[in-house]
Amino acid sequence: SIWLLSCNKLKQMKARPKRPREDIDDKQQYATIDDLNKVVADLQKANRATIDDLNKVVADVQKTNREAEDTKERLRVTIEDLQETKQDLTQMKKDLTEMNKDLKEMKKDVTEMNKDLKEMKKDLTEMNKDLTEMNKDLTETKQQLTTTQGRLNS
């Protein structure tokens, strides 16, 4: 803005009709030099302001780039962590599938054992009946022997 005003002032000064040197008195010559010095000072001020603005923009861009690099690094680390987690979960899935297979096999074995135990219980119950019957028969035989021995002794 200051730079544009200074440029416009220079254009206006260039647009003035040129007078021969003898027509310009010292006062006018100094005024023109003062005007030019003011334009130069305004341009230098505008240039400094523009440079300061550009330096701020560069600093902001550099800060944004650093932040973007930091974010990029954090994302890279996060991606690595997620890949490791994925590998861990894949291994856990494999392990759980294997464990599930083993548990199904164990269930099958336990079911078979339970079936065998029921059969054994049935057999033992039958044997117990037989032994009870045999015990009853032995008790009767013992009584008969005792009766027979009592008769023989008398």
Side-chain angles (χ1 to χ4, degrees):
S1 57
I2 294 174
W3 184 80
L4 286 175
L5 289 173
S6 299
C7 286
N8 286 337
K9 193 164 190 161
L10 273 177
K11 286 180 186 175
Q12 289 170 359
M13 289 173 65
K14 284 184 179 179
R16 291 184 191 165
K18 294 187 178 179
R19 294 181 244 158
R21 226 155 149 70
E22 53 274 355
D23 290 349
I24 300 174
D25 64 1
D26 287 343
K27 193 174 190 182
Q28 285 178 326
Q29 188 176 358
Y30 287 129
T32 304
I33 290 172
D34 287 343
D35 288 343
L36 286 174
N37 284 337
K38 181 163 180 13
V39 168
V40 168
D42 289 346
L43 285 172
Q44 287 173 339
K45 183 178 176 184
N47 194 21
R48 279 193 301 277
T50 303
I51 289 172
D52 289 345
D53 290 344
L54 287 174
N55 284 337
K56 287 178 186 175
V57 169
V58 168
D60 288 346
V61 167
Q62 288 173 340
K63 180 181 175 189
T64 302
N65 283 344
R66 283 191 303 274
E67 290 170 353
E69 284 297 319
D70 290 346
T71 302
K72 182 180 173 183
E73 179 61 20
R74 284 194 305 274
L75 286 174
R76 186 190 63 74
V77 169
T78 301
I79 288 170
E80 284 179 3
D81 290 347
L82 288 173
Q83 287 172 339
E84 287 177 14
T85 302
K86 180 182 176 184
Q87 289 173 351
D88 292 346
L89 289 173
T90 301
Q91 186 60 45
M92 285 173 65
K93 181 181 176 185
K94 286 179 184 176
D95 293 346
L96 287 173
T97 301
E98 189 63 33
M99 285 174 63
N100 195 27
K101 183 180 174 185
D102 292 346
L103 286 173
K104 284 181 181 179
E105 190 64 35
M106 286 173 65
K107 180 181 176 185
K108 184 179 173 185
D109 292 345
V110 167
T111 302
E112 188 65 35
M113 285 174 59
N114 198 18
K115 188 177 175 184
D116 291 345
L117 287 173
K118 284 180 182 178
E119 189 65 36
M120 286 174 66
K121 180 181 176 185
K122 185 178 172 186
D123 290 345
L124 287 173
T125 302
E126 189 63 39
M127 285 174 66
N128 195 23
K129 276 185 184 178
D130 291 345
L131 287 173
T132 302
E133 190 62 39
M134 285 174 68
N135 195 20
K136 186 177 171 187
D137 289 345
L138 285 174
T139 303
E140 282 180 19
T141 304
K142 181 180 172 187
Q143 278 181 345
Q144 288 174 359
L145 284 176
T146 304
T147 304
T148 306
Q149 189 178 14
R151 283 187 197 156
L152 288 174
N153 287 338
S154 1

